[in-house]
Amino acid sequence: MEIRIGPPVSGENYFARPDIEELLRRKLGRGNVSFMAARRTGKTSLLRRLVDEAPDTTPHFLINLEKCTTPEHWLAEMVAPVLGERGRWGRALDRCREPLRKIEGLEFPGIGKVRFRGTDWRDASATFLDTLIAHAQPVVFLLDEFPILVDEMARQDVDRCRAMLRWFREWQQRTFDAGIRFLVTGSIGLDGVVKRYGLWDAVNQLERAELPPLEPEQGIAFLLRLSSDNGVALDEPRARVILDLVGAPWPYFLQIFVAQLRDHAPDPDRADLERIYQERMIGAGRDQHVDHMWERLRRVFEPSEERLAKDVLKVVARADEGLTRRALEATARRAVEDRGTDFDEELWRFVFQVLEHDGYLAAVPVAVPGGGDGPVRFRFFSNLLRDCWRRHYA
């Protein structure tokens, strides 16, 4: 297993998540799925695994919608892989290619490239899906960064965006019996986007699935395999120290830690592990992901929402055990009132939901003396993010 920090992985570099893979297959077997997960959680690698392991009779297409800004662009991105497929799914799609090439408004500027120049994308989209129903085996479309497309479209024209989503809902129903499935995914929460623009009713038919971090024992296995393959002397006790330092064992953060060990302490003792964490992981050379998460707040929030989010996150960063939802709301209320403005409960609920679903906050039950769990507290998504936030922003 190579150290791969950032890009999606596959083959020998992929650490299997069979429980999550099977969950998604099962959900797709009975309907369409919303699978949202924050950046750097391994979502895209997992989706590529679904593509690689898909049956020869069921084409799976992973489509990145991040750069799409119109339904016409989305349509072209869905048609392109179907027309361009010449690999193991080619025979399953042979019968539908010629009818697709006759769709009015579709142009083919190059191999594997499609654009739509017509006047009615809904008619063209209906013809596309009707053709798949009539001529193809079941097909699964994995639509990555779907919330970004929805957000961008709603910013331009919310009524047009609503029409697109209603079309999408209708076609999920019409293609169901043919085995055509859609999995929408993204690194920003779909719920927050659709609620902002009043579009919730257009996507509430999707069954949800979540991507949790590795279980502790999976995290240990990941660290031992990665370190062994990259010349780092790590045993189980030292691997557990790394998990304690990093917190939730997301593979991305574990990759960063092992990379630092390989470069600076290939045979570490506990002091080395703590030094690497403090100096290399959260020090001046901190990972770009942390800065991205700070700047990203400006992308997903309006200015007043961004201020509120940063106020809350700064307080959470200083609370090792996290805060209850009631305490978070009290913090938000004080911050707003200190600026001389009225507290808007609806705005707060929106900000809180985005922070919880977009990779900032995680709900953690806190054990109480005598056994059992106390009130759920909200902490940072990972210790690494919390400690970087505490040092550089709080």
Side-chain angles (χ1 to χ4, degrees), residues 187-231:
S187 56
I188 65 173
L190 182 59
D191 287 356
V193 172
V194 296
K195 286 185 177 180
R196 176 193 291 277
Y197 299 108
L199 302 171
W200 173 248
D201 63 325
V203 297
N204 60 3
Q205 77 286 353
L206 297 165
E207 184 175 2
R208 299 186 184 202
E210 295 183 352
L211 177 59
L214 299 174
E215 295 292 334
E217 294 309 311
Q218 291 177 312
I220 296 295
F222 180 89
L223 282 168
L224 294 179
R225 177 180 165 191
L226 186 65
S227 59
S228 175
D229 290 351
N230 289 277

Side-chain angles (χ1 to χ4, degrees), residues 10 25 46-62 81-82 84-94 97 137-140 142:
S10 59
R25 292 190 188 101
L46 194 152
L47 295 178
R48 287 189 175 185
R49 179 72 163 196
L50 292 183
V51 173
D52 292 341
E53 298 294 319
D56 290 344
T57 56
T58 308
H60 280 49
F61 296 117
L62 176 56
V82 175
E85 174 59 41
R86 290 294 183 269
R88 62 187 171 116
W89 292 314
R91 295 182 64 183
L93 298 166
D94 275 345
R97 289 201 182 91
Q137 299 290 330
V139 179
V140 176
L142 308 171

Side-chain angles (χ1 to χ4, degrees), residues 157-207:
D157 186 334
V158 71
D159 290 332
R160 193 163 188 248
C161 183
R162 181 177 289 106
M164 178 188 76
L165 291 177
R166 287 179 175 169
W167 169 89
F168 185 41
R169 180 179 61 186
E170 176 189 351
W171 275 96
Q172 288 176 63
Q173 297 167 353
R174 292 186 63 178
T175 59
F176 183 85
D177 289 339
I180 295 174
R181 295 289 185 269
F182 301 92
L183 181 150
V184 302
T185 184
S187 56
I188 65 173
L190 182 59
D191 287 356
V193 172
V194 296
K195 286 185 177 180
R196 176 193 291 277
Y197 299 108
L199 302 171
W200 173 248
D201 63 325
V203 297
N204 60 3
Q205 77 286 353
L206 297 165
E207 184 175 2

Side-chain angles (χ1 to χ4, degrees), residues 109-162:
I111 296 175
K113 295 183 179 179
V114 175
R115 61 177 172 236
F116 180 70
R117 299 295 193 189
T119 57
D120 193 337
W121 60 269
R122 285 169 292 193
D123 286 348
S125 300
T127 303
F128 168 56
L129 291 171
D130 277 337
T131 302
L132 291 183
I133 291 171
H135 297 291
Q137 299 290 330
V139 179
V140 176
F141 293 101
L142 308 171
L143 304 175
D144 200 7
E145 301 302 354
F146 183 75
I148 291 179
L149 167 64
V150 174
D151 185 56
E152 182 61 34
M153 276 207 58
R155 289 173 186 268
Q156 297 175 27
D157 186 334
V158 71
D159 290 332
R160 193 163 188 248
C161 183
R162 181 177 289 106

